[in-house]
Amino acid sequence: MSKPALIVIDLQNDYFPAGAFPQWNTEATLATAEKAIAAAHARDIPVVLVQHVADVSQGSAPFFNPGTQGVKIHPRIAAAAPDAPVIVKQYADSFEHTTLHDTLQKLAVDELILCGMMTHNCVTHTALSRQADAYAKVTVLTDASTTVSEILHKIALNALSTRVALGSVEQVFAPI
């Protein structure tokens, strides 16, 4: 029997309307990500939050700088998954130089369900990570992910469609 985990990538304040780099369709994406977290909890599926923090040794970044409001995980996501481990990353790939793989191994996870921001960057790089190849299945939640525009979101999903599973929260977490 498989054991998936829900990985919520970079739902951070800087990507929302008051932030430094607002994305497209953030309110709907946030609400759907909350539904995914609730569905995961209802099925005893572990939830892991991923937070991008800019590397200050490279100078000030346009967003996600340490100590700012923008770098914080959106409060509704933090409230929906208060006990979830938080993996801090500095690269698009959530596995790259992080403890994500070790955390998932400790949870005995063998499948990944991904959602988050930005579809064309961090979600894609995590889904296609060499370390993600170690998992039996990788699925991207199409309606709980977003990026800078609708067209770029759709292009990224189309590109991913040949490599990973795609589905809505309703499809992936359908009643058994």
Side-chain angles (χ1 to χ4, degrees), residues 26-148:
T26 54
E27 185 55 39
T29 301
L30 176 62
T32 308
E34 288 174 306
K35 284 174 52 178
I37 292 168
H41 285 152
R43 290 162 179 78
D44 291 323
I45 293 172
V47 176
V48 177
L49 305 179
V50 176
Q51 178 185 28
H52 194 107
V53 178
D55 180 358
V56 294
S57 72
Q58 303 296 314
S60 181
F63 51 90
F64 294 159
N65 284 297
T68 65
Q69 280 299 110
V71 76
K72 292 181 181 177
I73 292 172
H74 193 283
R76 285 173 43 191
I77 295 300
D83 299 324
V86 176
I87 306 300
V88 174
K89 68 178 180 66
Q90 294 182 320
Y91 299 96
D93 178 349
S94 298
F95 289 101
E96 189 68 26
H97 298 292
T98 72
T99 59
L100 180 57
H101 182 70
D102 291 339
T103 299
L104 296 172
Q105 292 304 292
K106 287 176 187 163
L107 295 168
V109 166
D110 64 359
E111 284 187 23
L112 306 178
I113 303 169
L114 307 176
C115 70
M117 298 175 173
M118 297 187 280
T119 314
H120 78 284
N121 192 30
C122 296
V123 175
T124 292
H125 282 278
T126 302
L128 300 179
S129 173
R130 287 183 179 148
Q131 288 185 316
D133 289 343
Y135 297 86
K137 184 177 182 183
V138 177
T139 302
V140 172
L141 298 176
T142 58
D143 55 348
S145 299
T146 194
T147 193
V148 295

Side-chain angles (χ1 to χ4, degrees), residues 23-25 119-120 146-155:
Q23 304 295 292
W24 165 77
N25 202 31
T119 314
H120 78 284
T146 194
T147 193
V148 295
S149 69
E150 181 178 15
I151 190 72
L152 193 53
H153 175 68
K154 288 179 177 181
I155 289 168

